Structure formats: structure tokens, C-alpha cells
Amino acid sequence: MRLAHIVAFGFSDDLPAEILTALEDGLNALSSSLRGIVSYRHGRDLGLRPGNVSYAVSAVFDSEQSLFAYLEHPDHLSLVERIRPFVSSRSAVQFELATAT
């Protein structure tokens, strides 16, 4: 069963540029090093609409076990701790993806 994991963050205005760059680099490294990730995208909001959040991650995992391996990985936890002081909002959802017939 494939699972989608979507997370959207609002960051405070005092987020240092180097923290955001470290987040992007860290997510790239983490997503390329773990098994079970079917697709992985993340990025800064383009500012095309008012009220949008700052950043989003969209990932597809091949199983619930792969999702939890990602969420509990020490590198993921380290990234979370690094950005936590600058997170003004966070929303997340996980849902099952229908298989193609």
C-alpha cells in the first residue's frame, strides 16, 4: 500500500537563509538515502497567492514502515529540531494512494 505524506510549513520572518538551505540540502540527502521512497519533492513557496505557507514537502512511500523509517530517522529528527524555532505553522496529512487498475 502506497502512502502519501504531505507537510506544509509557515516560517517566521527571522528564519536565517542558512537554515533554509540546510533544510533543503538535508531533505535531498535524506530522501536519496532511504529505501521505500517512491517520490519525493519539496520546495519554497513561489509567492503566487497571498496567504500561502512558506515551504512544503510531498512524498510517496511504498509502505507504512517506510514512512515511519523516514519520520524516525535521526537525520530527519535533526532537521526538525533545527527548524523548530522558526516554524510558525505546520499542517500534515498522510493518506493511502489507490493502486492503478
Side-chain angles (χ1 to χ4, degrees), residues 1 8 26 31 36 38 46-47 76 81 83 88 95 99:
M1 160 183 55
S31 64
V38 177
L46 297 175
H76 180 264
E81 287 306 311
I83 65 167
S88 58
F95 57 92
T99 56

Side-chain angles (χ1 to χ4, degrees), residues 19-82:
I19 297 290
L20 187 54
T21 299
L23 172 64
E24 292 170 323
D25 293 344
L27 291 175
N28 286 334
L30 181 60
S31 64
S32 65
S33 70
L34 295 178
R35 292 183 174 183
I37 297 176
V38 177
S39 95
Y40 197 91
R41 304 284 186 269
H42 61 93
R44 303 173 191 200
D45 180 62
L46 297 175
L48 301 177
R49 307 247 334 181
N52 283 2
V53 293
S54 308
Y55 203 90
V57 176
S58 172
V60 176
F61 295 87
D62 66 3
S63 68
E64 189 173 319
Q65 292 79 13
S66 295
L67 168 65
F68 282 106
Y70 165 81
L71 293 174
E72 297 168 0
H73 193 280
D75 292 345
H76 180 264
L77 296 174
S78 176
L79 289 170
V80 169
E81 287 306 311
R82 195 156 186 200

Side-chain angles (χ1 to χ4, degrees), residues 2-5 11 14-16 28-29 33 40 43 49 51 59 63 71 74 90:
R2 288 186 173 186
L3 298 175
H5 171 65
F11 289 128
D14 63 341
L15 173 70
N28 286 334
S33 70
Y40 197 91
R49 307 247 334 181
S63 68
L71 293 174
R90 178 189 173 279

Side-chain angles (χ1 to χ4, degrees), residues 82-98:
R82 195 156 186 200
I83 65 167
R84 186 181 307 277
F86 307 102
V87 174
S88 58
S89 66
R90 178 189 173 279
S91 295
V93 63
Q94 296 81 38
F95 57 92
E96 184 176 344
L97 294 173

